[in-house]
Amino acid sequence: MIDNHGRKIHYARISITDRCNLRCKYCMPEEGVTKKECGEILRVEEFVSIAKVLIELGIDKIRLTGGEPLVRKGLLDLTEQIGRLPGLKDFSLTTNGILLPLYAQRLKETGIRRINISMDTLDSEKYREITRGGVLGQVFMGLETALDLGFDQVKLNTVLIKGFNENEIRDFVMMTMDRPIDVRFIELMPFEGQQEFALGKYISGLEVLKCCPELVSEKSDDPSAPAKYYRIPGAKGRVGLIEPMSHLFCDQCNRIRITADGSALPCLHSRREFDLKPVLSDSSALQAAIVEAISAKPMTHRLCEGEFMERDMGKIGG
Ligand code: SAM
Ligand code: SF4
């Protein structure tokens, strides 16, 4: 579908749970999400109905996210049902990696082709601190399992945090030398619930290029991808910069987001939401509601340091 600003919208990010087995300080409050009433979070078959309608509207790329998608009950049933929908060309998932050793094989068998794993530090103690209790060794096992299984693409997502991991930028970049992975640095985005943590911790993606001047810019294989890619000459993997704060990529935006509680969000940074729950059992009304959400996509967002977004990433689905 083409939106009101001439952009082809063909990518949906679906958050399948708002729960998580970690509590990253920039994403979730220490106590986790407020528990939703039974029935507020969509059921597996409801996500499948939405996926079908999205595909009818021209979406050919779906990424499952959360919260942490691997803690979602019925995950494999969901990936199996969505994975076999005709018309879906690209099916992927973003995870913190903790449960990947357990699920990676079945995820691949049920159609997941590409995996993004989040890791903000290579130091176990710092990982425990930023995630409020996570065990880094489990994420590394998840990463190695994903690489061994031969997914089409494995990416690492690293949020840049001042005073926390800027001294590790080079170590992350060096991971691309002998591994066929993309390491992507993401600029920290400010969410209302985490403002105390986020204030003053923003670093621009430019810092990565300053730390590693030998990085060479690469032509993108997907011009609508938010990351700009670079490579150390001879490296097996690439380095990506995702800069929602310093460089807008809205003119290339191709996506729509579905939250775990059944809202369509036209833009990560807009406060507008379209509740799909009342129309889930009527596919033409569901289609109309999604079309309305896509039509409401703004031309651009503007985020400044010191401004905060209302729904945090764990609730939106990053
Ligand atoms: N739990 C999964 C994970 O951590 O990969 C998927 C959901 S998480 C919300 C998706 C991505 O959003 C992660 O890579 C995470 O680092 C990123 N994220 C969360 N809060 C963020 C923030 N305030 N600024 C930038 N990225 C953020
Ligand atoms: Fe959980 Fe992912 Fe948010 Fe960390 S970033 S708290 S792993 S949802």
Side-chain angles (χ1 to χ4, degrees):
M1 183 179 161
I2 305 292
D3 76 358
N4 290 344
H5 308 284
R7 298 168 298 198
K8 185 175 173 200
I9 309 303
H10 68 106
Y11 175 22
R13 295 174 74 101
I14 306 182
S15 171
I16 59 172
T17 179
D18 59 352
R19 309 250 169 124
C20 187
N21 47 357
L22 298 179
R23 298 281 183 274
C24 302
K25 289 184 174 170
Y26 51 78
C27 174
M28 276 204 188
E30 189 159 13
E31 62 281 10
V33 293
T34 327
K35 295 245 181 321
K36 298 261 177 189
E37 294 294 318
C38 182
E40 275 186 82
I41 298 298
L42 300 190
R43 298 192 307 266
V44 165
E45 56 274 27
E46 293 175 325
F47 282 118
V48 176
S49 304
I50 292 178
K52 273 187 194 150
V53 168
L54 286 166
I55 292 171
E56 279 162 22
L57 285 170
I59 299 289
D60 58 9
K61 184 172 169 181
I62 289 181
R63 174 172 294 275
L64 301 184
T65 178
E68 172 50 36
L70 301 197
V71 303
R72 167 71 205 217
K73 217 168 129 208
L75 167 73
L76 295 171
D77 190 14
L78 181 63
T79 52
E80 187 157 27
Q81 292 195 54
I82 294 184
R84 58 171 182 244
L85 291 176
L88 183 61
K89 293 190 192 142
D90 182 12
F91 192 23
S92 59
L93 177 136
T94 299
T95 171
N96 59 34
I98 298 279
L99 294 173
L100 259 188
L102 214 59
Y103 285 109
Q105 169 90 40
R106 287 289 292 135
L107 286 171
K108 185 152 189 267
E109 286 163 5
T110 55
I112 296 288
R113 294 277 155 263
R114 301 188 299 123
I115 294 221
N116 289 2
I117 301 171
S118 303
M119 194 195 272
D120 304 321
T121 172
L122 300 168
D123 177 294
S124 307
E125 192 45 43
K126 283 166 73 181
Y127 185 77
R128 199 181 56 74
E129 180 202 328
I130 195 77
T131 60
R132 299 191 180 100
V135 178
L136 183 64
Q138 293 175 331
V139 189
F140 267 106
M141 271 169 62
L143 172 64
E144 297 306 334
T145 310
L147 288 172
D148 288 348
L149 284 170
F151 282 91
D152 291 354
Q153 203 167 40
V154 178
K155 295 180 185 169
L156 275 194
N157 285 345
T158 303
V159 178
L160 289 165
I161 307 165
K162 190 187 266 174
F164 179 74
N165 62 6
E166 72 261 60
N167 59 344
E168 296 188 68
I169 291 174
R170 216 179 155 78
D171 297 337
F172 271 108
V173 167
M174 288 304 150
M175 286 177 75
T176 64
M177 290 306 292
D178 54 1
R179 291 181 181 85
I181 54 174
D182 289 346
V183 171
R184 304 182 322 158
F185 294 98
I186 307 175
E187 288 180 346
L188 178 67
M189 288 180 278
F191 292 98
E192 232 159 56
Q194 282 64 53
Q195 43 176 300
E196 214 174 295
F197 173 79
L199 208 61
K201 294 205 175 57
Y202 165 79
I203 322 176
S204 122
L206 264 183
E207 232 20 71
V208 174
L209 302 180
K210 282 193 203 149
C211 284
C212 303
E214 67 271 51
L215 281 168
V216 177
S217 171
E218 289 224 330
K219 201 165 175 271
S220 174
D221 40 13
D222 173 5
S224 63
K228 278 189 279 179
Y229 280 103
Y230 300 82
R231 193 186 294 266
I232 301 264
K236 285 194 177 157
R238 299 180 299 177
V239 173
L241 299 186
I242 302 184
E243 303 165 299
M245 302 289 286
S246 63
H247 286 89
L248 291 184
F249 35 78
C250 304
D251 58 332
Q252 302 295 331
C253 185
N254 59 1
R255 63 190 60 185
I256 173 107
R257 287 169 197 269
I258 308 294
T259 63
D261 55 1
S263 284
L265 302 190
C267 170
L268 176 61
H269 308 289
S270 120
R271 293 189 181 221
R272 291 195 73 184
E273 304 188 8
F274 293 78
D275 188 6
L276 305 179
K277 278 230 280 310
V279 291
L280 281 175
S281 55
D282 174 348
S283 65
S284 44
L286 180 56
Q287 191 174 97
I290 295 174
V291 167
E292 201 186 344
I294 292 178
S295 306
K297 277 182 73 62
M299 181 55 222
T300 189
H301 72 256
R302 184 145 299 282
L303 273 179
C304 302
E305 213 196 344
E307 278 180 6
F308 295 92
M309 292 182 281
E310 201 174 23
R311 249 193 203 247
D312 61 36
M313 203 66 153
K315 292 204 202 94
I316 294 168

